[in-house]
């Protein structure tokens, strides 16, 4: 079982819909990252959080440390949000390893 | 402009021919890391470095070497490449692992 699990693997939605992508992890972490990868391949860091909630424009990331769960929400989704979204956990075991989920492929239909 | 630069972007080579993928960052970051990305497996960490002369294995270090002689550079070395190392490789840097990562544009390697 992967230490970081994402769901769903694929998600197709209509423009304007509210989107939720989930990430569960089984390891102790110092931080949880959300990344975005567009079809061209480049990877951009969206959020890094260790507690609570962060918001940037239409994107919101939350984390529940007790439940070892994080969610990425997109409000008023748009076709340009179509991308692969990846969560990653930074270890807190005295090293600085990063473990990734396998990603969620999001497609927003106009 | 703050950036992580990888070279080459694309490379096709043959089994056993040593190759180096360079990675350089201009943000004075302590942490640098190499990842490979494969369909169905996602991103996996190969090696990381917490500072100059400090490196450690990630989840898939076999067949790779790294060095960190200067803060800005973190080359990935394949001493004897094999076809199972055909992949898309990313270098990234940050102040620490738990801080936002800055990724390079990726290097697509094909080992025949």
């Amino acid at each position: 079982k992967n230490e970081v699990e994402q769901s769903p693997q694929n998600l197709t939605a209509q423009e304007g819909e509210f989107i939720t992508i989930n990430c569960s992890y089984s390891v102790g972490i110092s931080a949880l990252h959300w990344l975005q990868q567009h079809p061209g391949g480049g990877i951009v860091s969206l959020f890094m959080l260790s507690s609570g909630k962060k918001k940037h424009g239409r994107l919101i990331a939350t984390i529940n440390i007790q439940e070892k769960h994080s969610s990425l929400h997109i409000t008023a989704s748009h076709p340009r949000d179509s991308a692969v979204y990846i969560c990653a956990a930074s270890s807190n075991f005295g090293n600085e390893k990063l473990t990734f989920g396998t990603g969620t492929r999001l497609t927003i239909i106009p | 402009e703050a950036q992580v630069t990888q070279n080459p972007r694309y490379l096709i080579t043959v089994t056993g021919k040593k190759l180096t993928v360079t990675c350089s960052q201009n943000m004075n970051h302590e942490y640098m890391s190499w990842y490979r990305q494969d369909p169905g497996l996602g991103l996996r960490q190969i090696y990381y470095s917490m500072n100059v002369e400090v490196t450690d294995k990630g989840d898939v270090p076999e067949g790779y070497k790294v060095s960190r002689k200067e803060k800005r550079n973190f080359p990935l070395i394949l001493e004897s490449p094999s076809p199972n190392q055909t992949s898309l490789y990313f270098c990234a840097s940050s102040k620490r692992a738990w801080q936002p990562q800055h990724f390079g544009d990726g290097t697509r390697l094909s080992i025949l």
Side-chain angles (χ1 to χ4, degrees):
Chain A
K1 187 179 187 297
N2 200 15
E3 293 177 336
V4 179
E5 299 272 357
Q6 279 186 245
S7 63
Q9 285 191 316
N10 293 283
L11 178 56
T12 300
Q14 293 289 136
E15 183 173 355
E17 285 189 41
F18 181 82
I19 303 298
T20 296
I21 299 170
N22 296 300
C23 177
S24 296
Y25 53 93
S26 58
V27 296
I29 67 165
S30 54
L32 193 289
H33 304 257
W34 281 101
L35 311 171
Q36 180 191 55
Q37 186 173 27
H38 275 289
I43 299 174
V44 174
S45 178
L46 296 175
F47 294 104
M48 184 277 301
L49 62 166
S50 54
S51 64
K53 176 179 174 178
K54 287 190 176 180
K55 185 175 190 289
H56 186 256
R58 294 179 295 106
L59 273 60
I60 303 165
T62 63
I63 189 167
N64 184 318
I65 299 295
Q66 286 72 31
E67 294 185 6
K68 295 188 173 178
H69 182 268
S70 177
S71 293
L72 177 68
H73 306 285
I74 305 175
T75 62
S77 59
H78 189 276
R80 65 175 175 266
D81 297 326
S82 298
V84 176
Y85 293 84
I86 303 165
C87 68
S90 301
S91 169
N92 69 352
F93 288 128
N95 59 46
E96 298 201 19
K97 284 180 66 176
L98 276 166
T99 305
F100 295 82
T102 52
T104 295
R105 184 174 298 277
L106 175 65
T107 303
I108 304 297
I109 299 170
Chain B
E1 181 192 348
Q3 59 185 2
V4 177
T5 304
Q6 292 179 229
N7 279 298
R9 294 290 314 280
Y10 304 91
L11 179 62
I12 301 174
T13 188
V14 295
T15 299
K17 186 177 180 183
K18 180 179 177 180
L19 67 92
T20 300
V21 185
T22 63
C23 175
S24 180
Q25 51 93 4
N26 63 0
M27 294 166 279
N28 202 37
H29 284 162
E30 280 78 23
Y31 187 86
M32 296 186 75
S33 185
W34 277 103
Y35 308 97
R36 60 179 288 174
Q37 186 176 38
D38 301 289
L41 297 175
L43 282 160
R44 291 178 292 169
Q45 192 170 41
I46 303 170
Y47 270 97
Y48 62 95
S49 169
M50 292 177 281
N51 214 325
V52 175
E53 303 291 4
V54 182
T55 63
D56 209 347
K57 296 177 182 178
D59 290 321
V60 287
E62 296 78 18
Y64 304 94
K65 282 176 58 176
V66 292
S67 67
R68 187 93 181 272
K69 292 183 170 52
E70 308 164 276
K71 200 171 193 179
R72 63 182 294 125
N73 296 323
F74 191 45
L76 179 70
I77 302 157
L78 284 71
E79 294 269 3
S80 183
S82 62
N84 64 12
Q85 293 177 298
T86 292
S87 188
L88 178 58
Y89 291 84
F90 288 97
C91 179
S93 75
S94 61
K95 288 189 177 179
R96 301 301 295 269
W98 56 82
Q99 293 181 302
Q101 301 272 301
H102 298 256
F103 284 81
D105 290 334
T107 295
R108 191 167 290 281
L109 274 182
S110 294
I111 316 289
L112 305 177

